[in-house]
Amino acid sequence: MAVALGIGAVRVPTADVVEVVLRRLNVGDFDVRLLDDQIVWQLRVPRGLGAAAVGAGLAICGVVLQALTRNDLADPYLLGLSSGAGVGAVTVIVLGVSFAGFVGSTAVTAAALVGSLAALLLVLVISVGRGGELPPARTVLAGVAVGQVATAYTSLIVIVDGDSHAARRVLEWTLGSVAGLRWPSALVVTVVALLGVVFFSALADHLDAFAFGETAARSLGVDVVRLRWVLLVGTAFVTAVLVAYAGAIGFVGLVVPHMVRAVVGPRHRLLLPLSALVGATLLVLADLGARTVVEGQEVPIGVVTAVIGAPFFAVLLRRSRSAT
């Protein structure tokens, strides 16, 4: 992150970046240039911190959902959360309305969060069984259905409105970006991601039990129904907050768990924190690429993660086929 914070339209040596951060944290009294201080601390640090938090949060949610559904293709957007967030965001962007007294980018974020949580509620209502259980297969199918309806709504709104500027903003939002993160929003996503890492890590042994199926988990004393509710709602809430602030950034929650699992194995006590670290690193580097790969223009971070993630995932699939 220290290296990434120094790279951009204005280059700042890594040593100067470290001095700016230490000075702001009152660790030392360094003589830094005012311009470097403003660029690093006010613009790049919150963006880099937010990117790391979003990457870590998406990665751990991917780990939990893959364990919970026993599906290697599960990712944080499986429950229709990103599409639900898109409904709220697109409604504000295209129709130009305020939301809950907010205006501008704050209204977009608030509407996206509400839309994501509303999609979650709808998925849970559709998929819950008579006894209160939450079957993974039905939950996934409900998420796919809700996501398709939400996507159809956003497409219809953009086509009917016909505003090219609004359509461009919608496209940028759906591809994800951390460019708009400043200290208040960066702190929100950081706190949510850290709470997610701590919370899910505390349930690591229970997640290990799910690897052997529900029957084995029950025999180990796990309350399967209750734990599934807690984990699904927990991952959905973390994802909803991250999507609301950064848009839909693909492949992080899908690819990172496989990368880490291939190195350290399936034990969640190691898998969760290391996935958070790798996810944070990946998104910081992806954000660096997003703002430097095309001079004078920023590429959506979702494009960069797709370029990195898709070939890697193809290699993983090839290796798994060779192993079987």
PDB file of all heavy atoms in Angstrom, residues 276-293:
ATOM      1  N   ALA A 276      -8.484 -12.514   3.723  1.00  0.00           N
ATOM      2  CA  ALA A 276      -8.678 -11.075   3.911  1.00  0.00           C
ATOM      3  C   ALA A 276      -7.427 -10.309   3.489  1.00  0.00           C
ATOM      4  O   ALA A 276      -7.507  -9.271   2.807  1.00  0.00           O
ATOM      5  CB  ALA A 276      -9.022 -10.778   5.364  1.00  0.00           C
ATOM      6  N   LEU A 277      -6.256 -10.817   3.853  1.00  0.00           N
ATOM      7  CA  LEU A 277      -4.995 -10.155   3.511  1.00  0.00           C
ATOM      8  C   LEU A 277      -4.757 -10.159   2.005  1.00  0.00           C
ATOM      9  O   LEU A 277      -4.391  -9.140   1.407  1.00  0.00           O
ATOM     10  CB  LEU A 277      -3.836 -10.843   4.234  1.00  0.00           C
ATOM     11  CG  LEU A 277      -2.440 -10.264   3.991  1.00  0.00           C
ATOM     12  CD1 LEU A 277      -2.369  -8.831   4.476  1.00  0.00           C
ATOM     13  CD2 LEU A 277      -1.385 -11.120   4.685  1.00  0.00           C
ATOM     14  N   VAL A 278      -4.970 -11.317   1.376  1.00  0.00           N
ATOM     15  CA  VAL A 278      -4.755 -11.418  -0.077  1.00  0.00           C
ATOM     16  C   VAL A 278      -5.785 -10.579  -0.826  1.00  0.00           C
ATOM     17  O   VAL A 278      -5.463  -9.903  -1.815  1.00  0.00           O
ATOM     18  CB  VAL A 278      -4.815 -12.896  -0.519  1.00  0.00           C
ATOM     19  CG1 VAL A 278      -4.769 -12.997  -2.047  1.00  0.00           C
ATOM     20  CG2 VAL A 278      -3.659 -13.677   0.090  1.00  0.00           C
ATOM     21  N   GLY A 279      -7.047 -10.606  -0.363  1.00  0.00           N
ATOM     22  CA  GLY A 279      -8.079  -9.795  -1.005  1.00  0.00           C
ATOM     23  C   GLY A 279      -7.761  -8.314  -0.918  1.00  0.00           C
ATOM     24  O   GLY A 279      -7.943  -7.568  -1.883  1.00  0.00           O
ATOM     25  N   ALA A 280      -7.279  -7.878   0.248  1.00  0.00           N
ATOM     26  CA  ALA A 280      -6.906  -6.470   0.417  1.00  0.00           C
ATOM     27  C   ALA A 280      -5.767  -6.102  -0.521  1.00  0.00           C
ATOM     28  O   ALA A 280      -5.801  -5.060  -1.192  1.00  0.00           O
ATOM     29  CB  ALA A 280      -6.517  -6.217   1.872  1.00  0.00           C
ATOM     30  N   THR A 281      -4.750  -6.950  -0.590  1.00  0.00           N
ATOM     31  CA  THR A 281      -3.601  -6.687  -1.459  1.00  0.00           C
ATOM     32  C   THR A 281      -4.012  -6.638  -2.927  1.00  0.00           C
ATOM     33  O   THR A 281      -3.597  -5.754  -3.689  1.00  0.00           O
ATOM     34  CB  THR A 281      -2.529  -7.773  -1.260  1.00  0.00           C
ATOM     35  OG1 THR A 281      -2.173  -7.841   0.114  1.00  0.00           O
ATOM     36  CG2 THR A 281      -1.293  -7.473  -2.091  1.00  0.00           C
ATOM     37  N   LEU A 282      -4.859  -7.600  -3.315  1.00  0.00           N
ATOM     38  CA  LEU A 282      -5.297  -7.667  -4.712  1.00  0.00           C
ATOM     39  C   LEU A 282      -6.048  -6.398  -5.121  1.00  0.00           C
ATOM     40  O   LEU A 282      -5.795  -5.842  -6.201  1.00  0.00           O
ATOM     41  CB  LEU A 282      -6.201  -8.886  -4.908  1.00  0.00           C
ATOM     42  CG  LEU A 282      -6.860  -9.021  -6.286  1.00  0.00           C
ATOM     43  CD1 LEU A 282      -5.802  -9.183  -7.367  1.00  0.00           C
ATOM     44  CD2 LEU A 282      -7.830 -10.195  -6.307  1.00  0.00           C
ATOM     45  N   LEU A 283      -6.934  -5.915  -4.261  1.00  0.00           N
ATOM     46  CA  LEU A 283      -7.729  -4.755  -4.655  1.00  0.00           C
ATOM     47  C   LEU A 283      -6.914  -3.461  -4.604  1.00  0.00           C
ATOM     48  O   LEU A 283      -7.171  -2.542  -5.387  1.00  0.00           O
ATOM     49  CB  LEU A 283      -8.977  -4.635  -3.773  1.00  0.00           C
ATOM     50  CG  LEU A 283     -10.172  -4.009  -4.506  1.00  0.00           C
ATOM     51  CD1 LEU A 283     -10.549  -4.872  -5.706  1.00  0.00           C
ATOM     52  CD2 LEU A 283     -11.355  -3.844  -3.598  1.00  0.00           C
ATOM     53  N   VAL A 284      -5.937  -3.372  -3.708  1.00  0.00           N
ATOM     54  CA  VAL A 284      -5.047  -2.212  -3.712  1.00  0.00           C
ATOM     55  C   VAL A 284      -4.259  -2.164  -5.026  1.00  0.00           C
ATOM     56  O   VAL A 284      -4.128  -1.107  -5.655  1.00  0.00           O
ATOM     57  CB  VAL A 284      -4.079  -2.249  -2.506  1.00  0.00           C
ATOM     58  CG1 VAL A 284      -2.961  -1.229  -2.676  1.00  0.00           C
ATOM     59  CG2 VAL A 284      -4.837  -1.971  -1.214  1.00  0.00           C
ATOM     60  N   LEU A 285      -3.756  -3.306  -5.459  1.00  0.00           N
ATOM     61  CA  LEU A 285      -3.017  -3.360  -6.729  1.00  0.00           C
ATOM     62  C   LEU A 285      -3.943  -3.115  -7.912  1.00  0.00           C
ATOM     63  O   LEU A 285      -3.562  -2.458  -8.893  1.00  0.00           O
ATOM     64  CB  LEU A 285      -2.329  -4.715  -6.870  1.00  0.00           C
ATOM     65  CG  LEU A 285      -1.226  -5.007  -5.847  1.00  0.00           C
ATOM     66  CD1 LEU A 285      -0.671  -6.411  -6.030  1.00  0.00           C
ATOM     67  CD2 LEU A 285      -0.104  -3.978  -5.958  1.00  0.00           C
ATOM     68  N   ALA A 286      -5.181  -3.651  -7.842  1.00  0.00           N
ATOM     69  CA  ALA A 286      -6.143  -3.421  -8.925  1.00  0.00           C
ATOM     70  C   ALA A 286      -6.510  -1.949  -9.022  1.00  0.00           C
ATOM     71  O   ALA A 286      -6.643  -1.396 -10.124  1.00  0.00           O
ATOM     72  CB  ALA A 286      -7.398  -4.261  -8.688  1.00  0.00           C
ATOM     73  N   ASP A 287      -6.650  -1.292  -7.878  1.00  0.00           N
ATOM     74  CA  ASP A 287      -6.957   0.136  -7.886  1.00  0.00           C
ATOM     75  C   ASP A 287      -5.787   0.937  -8.449  1.00  0.00           C
ATOM     76  O   ASP A 287      -5.980   1.919  -9.173  1.00  0.00           O
ATOM     77  CB  ASP A 287      -7.297   0.611  -6.475  1.00  0.00           C
ATOM     78  CG  ASP A 287      -7.626   2.097  -6.434  1.00  0.00           C
ATOM     79  OD1 ASP A 287      -8.492   2.539  -7.216  1.00  0.00           O
ATOM     80  OD2 ASP A 287      -7.010   2.815  -5.627  1.00  0.00           O
ATOM     81  N   LEU A 288      -4.575   0.507  -8.120  1.00  0.00           N
ATOM     82  CA  LEU A 288      -3.391   1.163  -8.681  1.00  0.00           C
ATOM     83  C   LEU A 288      -3.402   1.056 -10.206  1.00  0.00           C
ATOM     84  O   LEU A 288      -3.148   2.032 -10.921  1.00  0.00           O
ATOM     85  CB  LEU A 288      -2.121   0.522  -8.114  1.00  0.00           C
ATOM     86  CG  LEU A 288      -0.795   1.009  -8.701  1.00  0.00           C
ATOM     87  CD1 LEU A 288      -0.606   2.495  -8.436  1.00  0.00           C
ATOM     88  CD2 LEU A 288       0.373   0.198  -8.128  1.00  0.00           C
ATOM     89  N   GLY A 289      -3.715  -0.136 -10.705  1.00  0.00           N
ATOM     90  CA  GLY A 289      -3.807  -0.316 -12.149  1.00  0.00           C
ATOM     91  C   GLY A 289      -4.934   0.498 -12.760  1.00  0.00           C
ATOM     92  O   GLY A 289      -4.791   1.060 -13.846  1.00  0.00           O
ATOM     93  N   ALA A 290      -6.059   0.599 -12.047  1.00  0.00           N
ATOM     94  CA  ALA A 290      -7.226   1.319 -12.568  1.00  0.00           C
ATOM     95  C   ALA A 290      -6.920   2.790 -12.795  1.00  0.00           C
ATOM     96  O   ALA A 290      -7.429   3.397 -13.740  1.00  0.00           O
ATOM     97  CB  ALA A 290      -8.404   1.159 -11.605  1.00  0.00           C
ATOM     98  N   ARG A 291      -6.090   3.376 -11.939  1.00  0.00           N
ATOM     99  CA  ARG A 291      -5.837   4.816 -12.073  1.00  0.00           C
ATOM    100  C   ARG A 291      -4.526   5.137 -12.787  1.00  0.00           C
ATOM    101  O   ARG A 291      -4.212   6.318 -12.956  1.00  0.00           O
ATOM    102  CB  ARG A 291      -5.851   5.487 -10.693  1.00  0.00           C
ATOM    103  CG  ARG A 291      -4.897   4.939  -9.672  1.00  0.00           C
ATOM    104  CD  ARG A 291      -5.140   5.581  -8.301  1.00  0.00           C
ATOM    105  NE  ARG A 291      -4.340   4.991  -7.241  1.00  0.00           N
ATOM    106  CZ  ARG A 291      -3.101   5.333  -6.951  1.00  0.00           C
ATOM    107  NH1 ARG A 291      -2.515   6.270  -7.650  1.00  0.00           N
ATOM    108  NH2 ARG A 291      -2.446   4.750  -5.956  1.00  0.00           N
ATOM    109  N   THR A 292      -3.784   4.130 -13.233  1.00  0.00           N
ATOM    110  CA  THR A 292      -2.511   4.417 -13.911  1.00  0.00           C
ATOM    111  C   THR A 292      -2.375   3.759 -15.284  1.00  0.00           C
ATOM    112  O   THR A 292      -1.522   4.178 -16.066  1.00  0.00           O
ATOM    113  CB  THR A 292      -1.318   3.942 -13.047  1.00  0.00           C
ATOM    114  OG1 THR A 292      -1.432   2.533 -12.781  1.00  0.00           O
ATOM    115  CG2 THR A 292      -1.272   4.711 -11.731  1.00  0.00           C
ATOM    116  N   VAL A 293      -3.182   2.733 -15.577  1.00  0.00           N
ATOM    117  CA  VAL A 293      -2.962   1.982 -16.818  1.00  0.00           C
ATOM    118  C   VAL A 293      -3.277   2.828 -18.053  1.00  0.00           C
ATOM    119  O   VAL A 293      -2.639   2.668 -19.102  1.00  0.00           O
ATOM    120  CB  VAL A 293      -3.799   0.679 -16.819  1.00  0.00           C
ATOM    121  CG1 VAL A 293      -5.297   0.974 -16.895  1.00  0.00           C
ATOM    122  CG2 VAL A 293      -3.371  -0.237 -17.960  1.00  0.00           C
TER     123      VAL A 293
END
